[in-house]
Amino acid sequence: MRDVIRITDFQAPELDVYARLREIQLLNRHEPEKGIFIAESPRVIKRALDAGCEPLSFLAEERYLEKELRDIKSRCPKIPVYTADMEILSRITGYKLTRGMLCAMRRPPLRTAEEVCRAASRIVVLENVVNPTNVGAIFRSAAALDMDAVLLTSDCSDPLYRRAVRVSMGTVFQIPWTYLDEQRTGPKDGIGLLRSLGFRTAAMALTEDAVSVDDAKLLSEEKLAVILGTEGDGLSEDTIADCDYRVRIPMAHEVDSLNVAAASAVVFWELGKK
């Protein structure tokens, strides 16, 4: 590949976005239209491109230049490609997990909840799920098990954090998502918004009146939003009280709950049986 730029100094400014800018700096809350995220691996990068994300630059191991990157580069020929010796690349945190390729991309503008949910019948709402690994895993399960959209409260981990994107295998670009509103306010009016969009709400909670996840009435709902809470504490009491259903997964061996990402996969599987 002829137009590759070789980096010989780890302090080169071209590597800033990959090696020195923190997630919060990439996010750029003060000027969200200038926000950036990092996509890792050819598969994830292709899914981001398929979703219309704008690439800014590529960073790749030399052995990936002629094969995996050639096809991707043909879709955006004017975007610079950087490479460097492994002595430099290995100093980039997490680089060995990227399968040879990184891409800095412009963050797409957030859509409104109304836009994301307009044609949806099964959606996921995440309340204060702060671990990016869990957020990425939930997106991957949502895509695999045919959920229509994901809504997040403002305190959730960003779905475009580098680790969340990687764990999701790029499905964050395939499932429509947004925050409960474009201003990223909290969940206080979220239940009301969901109801205005025609959704019944189901809180995943260990309460005495909780129905089983395979409850026939629950599964027969035409439009249903399943709400999952933060790791450890689960959903807030106010959210549980405001929902139409309280739902639990039947357990054996006196286990009371699953990790939120594991629980999401079970729930999505059941909801897909409608």
Side-chain angles (χ1 to χ4, degrees):
M1 191 173 294
R2 297 178 181 177
D3 54 348
V4 173
I5 302 166
R6 178 170 291 279
I7 304 297
T8 59
D9 182 0
F10 181 70
Q11 298 302 323
E14 293 88 346
L15 294 184
D16 284 349
V17 68
Y18 300 106
R20 283 174 283 279
L21 295 184
R22 295 175 297 167
E23 295 281 9
I24 193 66
Q25 293 173 302
L26 294 175
L27 177 59
N28 198 351
R29 290 183 183 273
H30 297 295
E31 297 181 276
E33 69 280 0
K34 296 181 180 179
I36 295 171
F37 69 91
I38 304 298
E40 306 184 19
S41 84
R43 175 180 295 180
V44 172
I45 292 170
K46 287 178 181 179
R47 285 178 172 172
L49 291 174
D50 290 344
C53 295
E54 175 189 353
L56 300 174
S57 68
F58 296 98
L59 177 65
E61 291 180 30
E62 192 163 357
R63 63 194 176 101
Y64 284 84
L65 296 178
E66 293 299 326
K67 189 176 180 183
E68 285 86 349
L69 186 58
R70 182 174 294 278
D71 177 55
I72 293 174
K73 190 67 167 61
S74 68
R75 300 172 60 175
C76 38
K78 297 182 180 180
I79 305 303
V81 177
Y82 304 117
T83 191
D85 294 336
M86 282 306 298
E87 181 181 354
I88 293 176
L89 295 179
S90 62
R91 296 173 64 184
I92 299 175
T93 302
Y95 187 77
K96 292 182 179 179
L97 300 177
T98 66
R99 298 185 183 177
M101 194 182 307
L102 300 172
C103 181
M105 291 185 157
R106 187 78 66 197
R107 293 179 68 94
L110 281 173
R111 288 177 282 181
T112 66
E114 290 84 352
E115 291 171 330
V116 166
C117 296
R118 184 171 293 133
S121 62
R122 292 288 187 266
I123 68 171
V124 187
V125 180
L126 304 184
E127 181 182 279
N128 304 342
V129 178
V130 299
N131 187 314
T133 297
N134 283 333
V135 169
I138 290 169
F139 267 89
R140 189 171 180 180
S141 292
L145 300 173
D146 206 24
M147 300 298 285
D148 298 316
V150 180
L151 298 179
L152 305 97
T153 63
S154 58
D155 290 333
C156 283
S157 178
D158 182 0
L160 294 185
Y161 276 176
R162 183 169 163 182
R163 184 166 182 80
V165 172
R166 181 170 69 235
V167 172
S168 81
M169 293 296 291
T171 55
V172 294
F173 308 114
Q174 297 177 314
I175 296 292
W177 66 270
T178 193
Y179 292 89
L180 276 172
D181 66 39
E182 59 272 34
Q183 285 77 42
R184 297 190 177 191
T185 58
K188 183 175 178 59
D189 298 320
I191 301 297
L193 172 62
L194 292 170
R195 288 198 175 119
S196 73
L197 297 174
F199 286 90
R200 300 276 280 174
T201 53
M204 296 302 300
L206 301 175
T207 60
E208 291 185 359
D209 63 343
V211 300
S212 174
V213 69
D214 60 355
D215 180 81
K217 184 179 179 182
L218 174 74
L219 298 182
S220 69
E221 293 287 357
E222 183 177 349
K223 298 180 73 173
L224 187 67
V226 58
I227 306 177
L228 297 160
T230 184
E231 302 88 346
D233 294 334
L235 293 171
S236 68
E237 293 183 3
D238 288 344
T239 297
I240 294 171
D242 286 344
C243 283
D244 300 301
Y245 293 92
R246 266 68 63 190
V247 182
R248 66 187 302 160
I249 299 170
M251 300 282 177
H253 300 292
E254 299 183 356
V255 176
D256 61 355
S257 64
L258 297 173
N259 165 273
V260 64
S264 73
V266 175
V267 176
F268 302 163
W269 169 259
E270 287 292 347
L271 292 181
K273 296 179 179 179
K274 67 180 189 298

